[in-house]
């Protein structure tokens, strides 16, 4: 891709309406454009990153055996009246009337709709467990949409739902998502910590929020620092292995402010291990038993001939919020340098040729280099404008490709000035460059 042909509307300065670094950067490099309060269009750069995040989320869901479906954004109010949430959900729900005067709504979440799909065809315990997910836009008429796509009114969510025969099996499903979330966030190069949390309008009494640390986060958290040393590495998808994983995490105090209890915190965590800080909620998992299956009559035949309501959980990841969360975690706003994790970078490599009007050899070199890198599935952006080198580097630092190649006076013969952002530049050949990037791209993540 050439900068001159791309739709990357870069602003000279930070827009004054943006208060946190992710919102500033996303507007500054034209990743998004506000369409109305809390509602955004996604422009090429932002869309590319979000789609890459979505694909990682999808792959990790598929790996634990969740099946992808796609439910609509617009739902009928009928099923919400059955579950009893139509009134409870209050002003956050966007209510719509169709031309026949039927009450519809823009889905803020899908527990009811998926239960309706399930009950229409699953009748026996023999078909359990069922794990379903979709990745779809949601709408919540938040009173205070803010920080750009971090707290939007319209936002993109992966939401999964589990249906099981009893509590034990339902916890097994819950724990699969617990592990899958640790893995998903790790692939995004984030450390997300599961913390006991309030269940709000979704309900139930077991729930974990997955939180990444950030000063600009909206969640206040209280933790034992030692929880940051844990990982899901080595955990298999066996019941016992997953149980011990959750126990390993739950032995350390880690809660959001709604669950905070000063006495417990001080009793359980020694002073040097206490951490009180802020974070961003990037995922949230819930177990709520028969909260929806009972009022909506979603039951299955049991082995002895009796019937019982299925036990359900739901599992969300804020796909659009993650774009902002990664920026909060990775953007160096003092030096105005963004480095996307290679797994989601809009472009793997930025090629910056120094172009002199009378001499286009460096642009030709850049073109040849791009052709070579493309052959190895390495995605490249070239700054083919005739701006000076320092403004080109500034621009690429904001776009955030993790690697940069400068083609100028110093590039001699077959060697190129190559650098991983934040590291020293090196003179390398094309094949050495391809090797470094390909190895990083194919890195093995735990539990593949
Ligand atoms: C779980 C899946 C639920 O809605 N029902 C289906 C459950 N959970 S949740 O915690 O309310 O939302 C899941 C994740 O969505 C992101 N999120 C948001 N992102 C951007 N703007 C918002 N207004 C917003 N609200 C929720 C969060 O990442 C949250 O963890």
């Amino acid at each position: 891709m050439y900068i001159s042909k791309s739709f990357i509307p870069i602003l000279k300065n930070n827009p004054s309406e943006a208060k946190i670094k992710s919102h500033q950067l996303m507007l500054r490099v034209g990743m998004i454009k506000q369409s109305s309060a809390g509602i955004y269009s996604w422009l090429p750069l932002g869309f590319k990153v979000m789609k890459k995040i979505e694909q990682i989320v999808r792959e990790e869901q598929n790996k634990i055996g969740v099946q992808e479906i796609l439910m609509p954004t617009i739902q009928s109010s009928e099923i919400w009246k059955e579950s009893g949430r139509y009134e409870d959900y209050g002003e956050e729900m966007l209510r719509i009337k169709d031309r026949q005067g039927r009450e519809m709504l823009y889905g803020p979440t899908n527990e009811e709709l998926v239960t309706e799909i399930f009950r229409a065809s699953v009748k026996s315990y023999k078909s359990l467990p069922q794990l379903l997910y979709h990745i779809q836009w949601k709408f919540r008429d938040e009173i205070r949409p803010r920080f750009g796509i971090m707290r939007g009114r319209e936002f993109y969510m992966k939401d999964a739902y589990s249906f099981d025969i009893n509590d034990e099996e339902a916890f097994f499903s819950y724990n699969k998502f617990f592990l899958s979330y640790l893995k998903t966030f790790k692939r995004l190069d984030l450390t997300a910590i599961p913390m006991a949390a309030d269940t709000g309008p979704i309900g139930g009494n077991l729930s974990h929020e997955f939180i990444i640390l950030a000063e600009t986060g909206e969640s206040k958290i209280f933790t034992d620092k030692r929880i940051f040393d844990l990982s899901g590495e080595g955990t298999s998808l066996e019941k016992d292995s997953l149980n011990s994983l959750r126990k390993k995490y739950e032995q350390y105090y880690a809660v959001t402010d709604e669950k905070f209890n000063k006495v417990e915190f001080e009793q359980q965590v020694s002073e040097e291990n206490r951490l009180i800080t802020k974070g961003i909620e990037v995922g949230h998992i819930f177990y709520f038993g028969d909260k929806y299956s009972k009022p909506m009559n979603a039951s299955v035949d049991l082995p002895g001939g009796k019937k019982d309501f299925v036990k359900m959980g739901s599992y969300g990841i804020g796909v659009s919020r993650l774009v902002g969360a990664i920026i909060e975690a990775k953007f160096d706003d003092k030096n105005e340098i963004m480095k996307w994790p290679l797994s989601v970078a809009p472009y793997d490599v930025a090629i910056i040729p120094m172009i002199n009007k009378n001499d286009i050899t460096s642009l030709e070199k850049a073109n040849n280099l791009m052709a070579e890198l493309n052959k190895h599935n390495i995605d490249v952006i070239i700054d083919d404008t005739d701006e000076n080198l320092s403004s080109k580097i500034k621009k690429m630092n904001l776009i955030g490709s993790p690697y940069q190649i400068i083609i100028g006076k110093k590039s001699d013969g077959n060697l190129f000035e190559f650098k991983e952002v934040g590291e020293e530049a090196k003179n390398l050949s094309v094949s050495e460059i391809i090797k470094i990037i390909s190895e990083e791209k194919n890195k093995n993540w735990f539990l593949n």
Side-chain angles (χ1 to χ4, degrees):
M1 171 57 81
Y2 297 97
I3 282 264
S4 66
K5 310 243 167 18
S6 69
F7 190 83
I8 306 179
I10 295 191
L11 305 173
K12 280 230 152 48
N13 297 306
N14 277 332
S16 59
E17 73 266 32
K19 302 283 175 266
I20 63 172
K21 50 190 178 178
S22 57
H23 192 194
Q24 287 167 355
L25 184 71
M26 290 183 82
L27 294 174
R28 178 99 181 262
V29 291
M31 295 178 77
I32 50 171
K33 182 178 181 311
Q34 184 174 319
S35 120
S36 49
I39 304 180
Y40 291 84
S41 298
W42 289 77
L43 307 184
L45 207 58
F47 190 61
K48 240 177 154 212
V49 174
M50 186 166 71
K51 285 283 149 183
K52 287 192 171 182
I53 296 174
E54 175 186 347
Q55 187 53 23
I56 289 177
V57 169
R58 173 176 288 117
E59 285 169 15
E60 295 303 324
Q61 292 294 286
N62 295 344
K63 275 188 201 160
I64 58 162
V66 201
Q67 298 166 79
E68 186 166 13
I69 59 175
L70 183 59
M71 293 178 268
T73 52
I74 306 291
Q75 305 180 18
S76 155
S77 63
E78 296 303 318
I79 45 177
W80 287 73
K81 287 179 183 160
E82 277 189 54
S83 73
R85 271 208 298 185
Y86 193 55
E87 294 313 319
D88 293 355
Y89 219 94
E91 304 240 76
E92 274 203 6
M93 181 185 275
L94 181 65
R95 294 155 206 259
I96 309 163
K97 272 212 174 102
D98 72 7
R99 66 204 298 169
Q100 264 88 33
R102 277 187 294 247
E103 289 174 312
M104 312 292 284
L105 56 103
Y106 195 124
T109 175
N110 285 53
E111 280 79 7
E112 284 79 359
L113 190 49
V114 78
T115 305
E116 210 268 323
I117 293 171
F118 174 90
R119 73 177 175 192
S121 46
V122 180
K123 304 290 178 200
S124 162
Y125 77 96
K126 288 183 191 150
S127 311
L128 299 183
Q130 285 294 337
L131 306 176
L132 301 171
Y133 77 100
H134 77 159
I135 305 176
Q136 177 62 292
W137 292 96
K138 304 287 182 291
F139 194 93
R140 293 183 187 171
D141 203 353
E142 305 266 353
I143 312 183
R144 243 172 267 108
R146 54 187 191 147
F147 302 150
I149 47 77
M150 294 286 252
R151 177 163 299 279
R153 292 201 296 163
E154 190 184 44
F155 60 98
Y156 204 41
M157 191 205 285
K158 183 286 297 180
D159 39 325
Y161 303 87
S162 63
F163 302 86
D164 281 284
I165 187 170
N166 56 32
D167 277 347
E168 187 190 331
E169 292 302 313
F171 291 140
F172 183 27
S173 293
Y174 186 93
N175 293 344
K176 284 183 195 163
F177 284 96
F178 191 96
L179 172 64
S180 165
Y181 277 31
L182 292 174
K183 263 189 74 184
T184 304
F185 298 124
K186 174 140 192 232
R187 279 184 68 181
L188 301 173
D189 207 14
L190 295 174
T191 306
I193 301 295
M195 304 200 181
D198 210 27
T199 57
I202 307 293
N205 43 28
L206 168 64
S207 126
H208 287 91
E209 277 184 12
F210 285 75
I211 295 198
I212 65 160
L213 298 188
E215 284 153 31
T216 46
E218 289 189 280
S219 312
K220 192 160 187 204
I221 55 172
F222 302 82
T223 64
D224 187 321
K225 279 181 200 157
R226 289 172 295 175
I227 203 166
F228 289 91
D229 301 330
L230 302 178
S231 86
E233 210 145 351
T235 310
S236 77
L237 280 175
E238 300 294 313
K239 219 180 240 180
D240 290 344
S241 175
L242 289 168
N243 259 331
S244 8
L245 172 72
R246 189 141 75 80
K247 281 209 186 95
K248 194 167 89 177
Y249 274 90
E250 285 175 341
Q251 69 180 309
Y252 294 118
Y253 195 90
V255 305
T256 58
D257 53 355
E258 305 107 350
K259 288 264 173 186
F260 178 62
N261 177 313
K262 193 167 183 288
V263 177
E264 277 173 15
F265 184 54
E266 288 173 2
Q267 264 170 8
Q268 290 176 35
V269 191
S270 64
E271 221 169 319
E272 75 270 18
N273 286 328
R274 283 177 207 155
L275 177 69
I276 303 177
T277 182
K278 284 190 175 158
I280 302 167
E281 176 199 329
V282 285
H284 199 163
I285 61 179
F286 301 81
Y287 178 59
F288 39 71
D290 58 11
K291 173 172 176 188
Y292 300 90
S293 56
K294 199 169 174 185
M296 293 185 68
N297 201 19
S299 60
V300 289
D301 296 328
L302 299 179
K306 281 192 183 159
K307 270 180 179 297
D308 199 6
F309 301 114
V310 283
K311 305 288 184 284
M312 293 174 56
S314 73
Y315 314 87
I317 290 184
V319 177
S320 50
R321 176 178 287 182
L322 271 166
V323 180
I326 296 173
I327 297 174
E328 290 298 322
K330 308 286 176 198
F331 185 47
D332 167 359
D333 58 339
K334 259 199 213 102
N335 300 307
E336 301 206 310
I337 297 178
M338 178 61 196
K339 184 185 180 190
W340 288 100
L342 188 58
S343 58
V344 298
Y347 297 96
D348 304 324
V349 185
I351 301 182
I352 309 171
M354 279 169 69
I355 300 172
N356 177 327
K357 283 201 185 84
N358 309 315
D359 176 14
I360 55 157
T361 47
S362 61
L363 182 58
E364 279 166 4
K365 274 191 187 168
N367 285 336
N368 295 337
L369 185 55
M370 174 160 76
E372 212 41 52
L373 294 174
N374 284 167
K375 277 190 212 154
H376 292 83
N377 268 332
I378 296 171
D379 203 3
V380 174
I381 184 160
I382 297 183
D383 191 340
D384 57 336
T385 63
D386 53 16
E387 286 170 38
N388 64 42
L389 187 62
S390 84
S391 69
K392 283 183 174 183
I393 291 177
K394 262 190 192 155
K395 199 191 313 169
M396 286 303 190
N397 282 345
L398 291 175
I399 290 175
S401 303
Y403 301 103
Q404 295 180 347
I405 299 171
I406 294 171
I407 303 182
K409 289 184 207 116
K410 283 193 209 151
S411 36
D412 67 284
N414 294 323
L415 296 184
F416 295 93
E417 190 182 334
F418 171 85
K419 83 167 179 193
E420 178 169 351
V421 172
E423 312 277 326
E424 287 289 303
K426 293 178 199 154
N427 283 328
L428 298 179
S429 67
V430 184
S431 59
E432 286 168 322
I433 292 173
I434 291 171
K435 188 161 176 269
I436 291 177
I437 302 175
S438 302
E439 272 177 12
E440 188 59 28
K441 275 193 159 203
N442 299 327
K443 208 159 138 183
N444 264 330
W445 300 94
F446 73 87
L447 201 123
N448 258 321

